Each structure stands twice: as structure tokens, then as C-alpha cells.
Amino acid sequence: MKLSGAQLKKICPTLPMDKACHIAHLMNQVLPLYDMDDPNIFHEFIANVAIESKEFQTLVENMNYSTEVLRDTFGKHRISDADVMKYGAIKGKQKANQQMIANIVYGGTFGKNELGNIHQNDGWIFRGAGWLQITGRKNQTLFTVYYNNRFGTNHTIEQMVDLIRTDYYYAAHSACWVFAVAKKLIPYAITDNLKAIVKKIVGGISTLDNRHKYYLRAIKAIPHG
């Protein structure tokens, strides 16, 4: 499979054509390294990438939560009502303290056990990064070690998370690693099990319908092989 900028723009219509061409070129370089240069795999991959990256508009998790959304997104076991009111955005009164929100919801016992966040500012430093939002010190370490070992580099985890957030080449690698290596989703993609893939990526299926729209666009732009 060779992806063109025109095909990518059909899937992600808000993407400027020059950017679409650049990203398509990078994908043609990176996808084969993970055995993902197959339309039957790419459809599910791009459907999730398009949602997580807002059609490649962002490479970093947005922690700019209002108090209402903050409470709806994270349970009381992750952030107290007092901290919701203290750090969440209130229209006309206060801006969200994004760093504190990240350190709270990705810190504490949950952050340590689930994400390997053991230092005070880990929640903020290792908030979601890249096209599929690698989150947490543990996951970022796993990707960095994998990349360094495979491609002969010597990046620290802090350097790598910055690269994932600023360089589409590394963002492409990080997303392919999540999809093919960390979560082992290629077999689900081959059988068109988008529901299982979404659940494994985000832990639920509330966004399945939106991802399915991109999946259908991808099939139309690049028919099954």
C-alpha cells in the first residue's frame, strides 16, 4: 500500500494538503516497519489516529478541563471534588491549572500502579503524547527502549516524549508501536474488529461511532486489498 496526500485528506478533510502529503510520505516510510502497510490494517489504524490526534492537529493531550468535564471524565477516586473546583476551569472566573490536573489524575496510587508515575511531576511530563497518546512513565519507557534497541539510538524517555510531541516522524513510530507492538491489534484489524480495537485503546466504546465514521472514509479512500 502506498498512501497519497489526497487519500489521507479524504479521510481527514480538515488536514491541509501540504501537511497531508508530508504525513502520507512519513507513513509510507514507517508503516512497513511494523507490517502495517496493508489497507485491511490501515483502516482501523487511521480511524483511531484521526480521533486521538484530532485529524493530526495535536500531538499532546489537552488537560484544559472545565470543572464539569473534569468531574465527568475522572471519577472521585482520581480527583476530589475540592480539587475539581480548585483546578478546573470556571468560565469568567478561573483558567484550568492543566499541570496540576495532570499530576492529580495521573498521579497517586493510580498513577504509580497503572502508569509507573513515581515522581512528583510525572503526570504532567508523561501526559498523553503522539498520535495515539502514549501516557505515563512506564509506557513511555517501554516505547523508548523499544525504539532505541531497534533503531540504534540513545534517547532518554524525556527526550523521546518531546520528540513524539513535536516531530511527526516519531509520532508515527509511537502510534505504530502502540497499535502493533504494545496492544497487538493487527489481528483484530485484519478481521475488521474495530469495536475490540477501540476498547483496547481507550478502555471503552463510547467513541466507537465517531471512529467508525473515519473507518468508513478510509475504506472509501483506500479499498480493501
Side-chain angles (χ1 to χ4, degrees), residues 63-198:
M63 305 303 297
N64 187 24
Y65 289 103
S66 67
T67 53
E68 296 85 358
V69 176
L70 185 55
R71 167 50 65 230
D72 290 343
T73 304
F74 302 100
K76 292 186 177 182
H77 65 295
R78 298 277 295 278
I79 185 168
S80 68
D81 287 338
D83 282 341
V84 165
M85 298 307 298
K86 186 175 181 180
Y87 299 118
I90 301 175
K91 188 175 182 179
K93 293 185 177 181
Q94 69 182 26
K95 294 181 179 180
N97 187 327
Q98 297 187 48
Q99 185 167 346
M100 283 301 301
I101 290 171
N103 282 329
I104 291 170
V105 300
Y106 293 141
T109 301
F110 172 86
K112 181 179 179 180
N113 293 341
E114 300 298 325
L115 301 173
N117 288 339
I118 56 176
H119 299 305
Q120 186 175 5
N121 206 36
D122 278 357
W124 174 249
I125 294 172
F126 299 110
R127 67 197 186 281
W131 290 349
L132 284 180
Q133 299 290 296
I134 295 178
T135 306
R137 174 179 284 272
K138 178 175 68 176
N139 294 320
Q140 188 60 56
T141 298
L142 289 171
F143 171 65
T144 304
V145 169
Y146 173 89
Y147 188 94
N148 283 340
N149 287 341
R150 183 169 181 187
F151 300 104
T153 53
N154 193 33
H155 299 300
T156 66
I157 56 175
E158 291 83 5
Q159 289 170 337
M160 183 62 86
V161 77
D162 283 340
L163 287 169
I164 292 171
R165 290 176 179 150
T166 57
D167 189 318
Y168 281 124
Y169 176 76
Y170 285 93
H173 272 282
S174 72
C176 288
W177 175 81
V178 169
F179 199 92
V181 180
K183 296 191 178 293
K184 298 178 172 58
L185 300 177
I186 287 178
Y188 298 94
I190 291 172
T191 58
D192 290 326
N193 195 341
L194 181 62
K195 182 177 180 179
I197 290 171
V198 173

